[in-house]
Amino acid sequence: MTRFIPPVLGMVLALIALWYVAVVPMNVKEVLTAAERAGVAVSPPSAVERRDMGNWALVVRNTHALGDSWSSDRPKLPAPHQVLVELYDSTIDEEVNGRRGIVKSGTLSNRSLVYHAIVTLNATFLGFVIGTVLGVGLAVGIVHSRVMDMSVMPWAIVSQTIPIVALAPMIIVVLYSIGVQGLIPKAVISAYLSFFPVVVGMVKGLRSPDAMQMDLMRTYNAPTSAVLWKLRLPASVPYLFASLKIAIAASLVGAIVGELPVQKGGLGARMLAGSYYGQTAQIWAALFVAAGLAAVLVWATGWMERRTLRKMGAKP
Amino acid sequence: MNGLSLFASWLSACVANWLFSRIDKPWVPYVVPLVFGITVLILWEQAVYKFEIPTVILPPPSLIAASFAGNLSTLWGDFTQTILKGALSGYIIGCGAAFLTALLVDRSDYLRRGLLPLGNFMAALPIVGTAPILVMWFGFGWQSKAAVVVLMVYFPMLVNTVAGLSETSAMQRDLMRTYAATWGQSLWSLRLPAALPFIFNGLKISSTLALIGAIVAEFFGSPTQGLGFRISTSIGQLDLGMVWSAILVSALSGTAFYGLVALAERRMTFWHASFRGGR
């Protein structure tokens, strides 16, 4: 563990430093316009000339007027600390001090990222469960039936080249128009994205017992169901968990994309709202929360994997 | 066609496929999925008429085909905008940059230990969320879509290539050392070939990601063409035939894209265990 911490920390610090540097040229035009209005001399003086110049050239010629780069109100690229402030404001501060926060009103404020993250998580989990059950069921069918293997598997692969994420808005709007709304449509998209990795992993896992083990089952005259329960399924657990880690991240993406068209809460809705109103810090904060969620979900799946494998007697 | 004949046609296709799958001929793996697909299309078509499903909810395949044939030039414009300009350029830039980074990472152990956990973390991120930011930065044209694609494909490609480059055994590397091979020579003749299966795995994953990225980015703003633009505006007009035509275009190009990469993989890694017969 200690082997990894210094380099990772070094990389993260380097990225943050790079970010702070990048903020200057990204925001230079807005900052210079603001400085000009405040009466500071900038070169070149007219906004039209500045529009046609490169960002770095402007930075070099106006080093004295760039103090506001890291604190401008509507930056193109917010500085890291601005994102952190926004994160604090829209989680802890909103819930503790806000008018509708959990402290004052007893329910989560619909302006806080905690609320939006929970909305997204609900859809993620429902979709993940549906996708996993479907995927495992399909894999069991594929392993046991040759005709199912030959007819379903190619189409399952083709179905993944259809960008379902592109279909998402249509599915949502169509289901909305026939009265199905809320959690289900988002979960459908999550399930679609998460079922394929599960199918592929499970098919591989269910086929992983070697010929020797299968022969042993045959000498016991074991029925197919016993082979499935006592040999194939236990043997597929490591493959299943490897797939589940991919599937849960995919279903989070599905939930977020599913929130884009119907603006009723969730991290996706939050990002789109931020993009409409030019609130970049808000988008970045939502993105960071989504990133954190993805990391926690994948880590939790990995933790469950270790626990399960240890219980099953695999090496720790 | 009534419900009974609908059921009968499904059953006969089922039985046909079941019989086909017993035969051990080289054409069987093509015919069986084809029969399955055609059956689904027929059932879909008939079900729409039988149960009088409004075309707004689910248009029949015939309507989609008509709409597809009637809008070929529009769809071609969308195809060039989204797939050729957005997805393909982003794919090439992203995979190229990831490959070069992987070579760098391969030379420096510090970078490997620092960057790879970050890479794994970033690969799990909903990178789709960066689309609004990148559209804000690079404008509504294809450049912003390419940027989204670059971000989406970069880390899966990086992680796969790095894993591939460390695939050789100590014995093989020692052999190269006894030949006094330089870094470049051992890379070219030992480690790149050994990494190819992993590289192609990354390329295949990225090919579908690239399409998704390019199309989703168009929901956050695009010029008046592109598959994502077509889908979102046609939904607004409830022109579901057009929506499905756009989806058909993306599905066809996605399959073709994936197929090309898979074909290249088969040609270049013919020696690998997974292609040497059996499964």
Side-chain angles (χ1 to χ4, degrees):
Chain A
M1 203 62 199
T2 47
R3 268 179 71 238
F4 281 97
I5 289 173
V8 171
L9 216 60
M11 284 296 140
V12 171
L13 286 179
L15 275 182
I16 291 178
L18 200 68
W19 187 346
Y20 268 110
V21 172
V23 165
V24 180
M26 285 299 286
N27 295 335
V28 66
K29 282 178 181 152
E30 289 79 3
V31 169
L32 286 185
T33 311
E36 188 188 11
R37 284 188 191 137
V40 181
V42 295
S43 87
S46 91
V48 179
E49 281 175 83
R50 286 203 298 271
R51 194 188 62 203
D52 296 330
M53 279 182 70
N55 288 342
W56 281 111
L58 283 175
V59 170
V60 173
R61 290 171 70 166
N62 295 290
T63 40
H64 59 284
L66 292 172
D68 286 339
S69 291
W70 294 286
S71 57
S72 69
D73 278 340
R74 295 187 127 196
K76 252 181 144 177
L77 173 63
H81 67 266
Q82 286 180 302
V83 177
L84 282 183
V85 168
E86 167 70 23
L87 264 178
Y88 176 81
D89 282 349
S90 56
T91 50
I92 297 164
D93 190 47
E94 176 70 27
E95 294 300 347
V96 175
N97 303 320
R99 195 162 54 83
R100 286 177 290 187
I102 194 157
V103 174
K104 295 257 173 67
S105 65
T107 50
L108 288 170
S109 161
N110 62 359
R111 290 181 56 209
S112 91
L113 280 173
V114 182
Y115 166 82
H116 290 290
I118 289 175
V119 171
T120 305
L121 266 186
N122 278 334
T124 306
F125 279 132
L126 186 59
F128 178 65
V129 169
I130 298 174
T132 307
V133 170
L134 264 182
V136 172
L138 208 58
V140 170
I142 285 175
V143 168
H144 285 99
S145 147
R146 189 171 144 80
V147 59
M148 206 162 154
D149 179 22
M150 292 175 88
S151 53
V152 175
M153 204 55 187
W155 288 103
I157 295 170
V158 169
S159 80
Q160 291 307 299
T161 63
I162 301 173
I164 181 68
V165 182
L167 277 172
M170 192 193 65
I171 294 174
I172 301 241
V173 172
V174 164
L175 288 179
Y176 190 84
S177 72
I178 58 170
V180 182
Q181 50 174 304
L183 201 56
I184 305 292
K186 287 193 274 178
V188 168
I189 291 157
S190 290
Y192 189 98
L193 280 180
S194 58
F195 101 95
F196 185 70
V198 177
V199 171
V200 174
M202 272 306 271
V203 167
K204 208 170 184 180
L206 290 172
R207 283 190 176 140
S208 66
D210 57 34
M212 194 103 83
Q213 293 166 322
M214 295 298 286
D215 280 349
L216 181 65
M217 291 308 258
R218 202 167 303 140
T219 57
Y220 291 160
N221 196 20
T224 317
S225 63
V227 177
L228 178 66
W229 283 111
K230 298 194 169 136
L231 176 59
R232 286 187 189 271
L233 280 180
S236 70
V237 169
Y239 293 86
L240 175 66
F241 272 108
S243 307
L244 287 186
K245 278 194 240 170
I246 302 170
I248 196 141
S251 73
L252 181 68
V253 173
I256 288 175
V257 173
E259 283 157 359
L260 293 179
V262 180
Q263 299 277 305
K264 289 227 173 116
L267 294 173
R270 185 88 171 174
M271 286 173 200
L272 199 60
S275 128
Y276 278 160
Y277 301 116
Q279 296 293 325
T280 26
Q282 194 180 318
I283 309 178
W284 280 93
L287 199 60
F288 270 53
V289 171
L293 275 187
V296 168
L297 288 176
V298 172
W299 175 83
T301 318
W303 180 77
M304 264 171 52
E305 174 182 21
R306 284 192 297 277
R307 293 273 321 235
T308 315
L309 289 183
R310 207 175 302 150
K311 279 262 159 69
M312 287 174 62
K315 59 177 186 279
Chain B
M1 205 186 252
N2 57 25
L4 198 66
S5 61
L6 199 68
F7 180 72
S9 62
W10 171 74
L11 199 67
S12 57
C14 256
V15 171
N17 250 357
W18 183 72
L19 288 176
F20 274 138
S21 68
R22 307 255 128 183
I23 311 169
D24 200 18
K25 285 271 165 56
W27 48 263
V28 170
Y30 300 98
V31 170
V32 172
L34 210 63
V35 171
F36 180 80
I38 292 171
T39 317
V40 169
L41 281 188
I42 293 173
L43 289 185
W44 176 357
E45 178 88 27
Q46 296 303 331
V48 169
Y49 290 118
K50 171 98 179 58
F51 302 111
E52 289 169 357
I53 300 172
T55 51
V56 174
I57 291 172
L58 190 69
S62 56
L63 184 86
I64 298 169
S67 167
F68 183 81
N71 293 294
L72 278 182
S73 63
T74 322
L75 290 170
W76 175 251
D78 295 342
F79 173 78
T80 39
Q81 170 73 21
T82 306
I83 311 286
L84 297 186
K85 288 187 190 161
L88 207 59
S89 55
Y91 181 76
I92 293 170
I93 299 171
C95 289
F99 183 76
L100 294 181
T101 319
L103 291 185
L104 259 180
V105 167
D106 188 51
R107 295 219 73 168
S108 145
D109 199 41
Y110 184 84
L111 268 182
R112 174 207 300 277
R113 277 183 284 152
L115 215 53
L116 278 200
L118 281 185
N120 280 321
F121 174 71
M122 293 285 285
L125 284 191
I127 296 287
V128 180
T130 55
I133 297 168
L134 290 169
V135 170
M136 209 178 286
W137 288 359
F138 294 100
F140 287 169
W142 62 268
Q143 290 87 347
S144 60
K145 281 77 200 169
V148 173
V149 173
V150 167
L151 267 191
M152 276 185 88
V153 303
Y154 183 77
F155 285 104
M157 186 67 197
L158 176 68
V159 171
N160 271 295
T161 313
V162 170
L165 285 176
S166 56
E167 181 59 12
T168 48
S169 66
M171 192 94 88
Q172 291 167 324
R173 282 195 299 269
D174 280 350
L175 181 66
M176 291 310 272
R177 201 166 307 137
T178 57
Y179 289 161
T182 61
W183 181 79
Q185 282 169 331
S186 96
L187 180 76
W188 183 249
S189 33
L190 171 64
R191 278 168 335 134
L192 265 190
L196 272 184
F198 288 81
I199 293 175
F200 273 109
N201 190 32
L203 285 177
K204 281 201 276 193
I205 296 173
S206 303
S207 69
T208 47
L209 284 180
L211 273 187
I212 293 174
I215 292 176
V216 169
E218 286 181 354
F219 294 144
F220 290 95
S222 66
T224 56
Q225 56 176 2
L227 292 170
F229 169 82
R230 191 70 54 210
I231 291 171
S232 52
T233 47
S234 300
I235 289 174
Q237 301 158 353
L238 285 180
D239 184 2
L240 269 276
M242 196 65 196
V243 175
W244 281 89
S245 302
I247 290 164
L248 187 62
V249 171
S250 67
L252 286 179
S253 40
T255 312
F257 198 180
Y258 187 91
L260 278 179
V261 178
L263 196 70
E265 176 184 28
R266 196 170 275 264
R267 296 297 285 277
M268 292 177 74
T269 62
F270 54 90
W271 44 269
H272 192 251
S274 56
F275 288 118
R276 283 193 309 220
R279 60 169 169 233

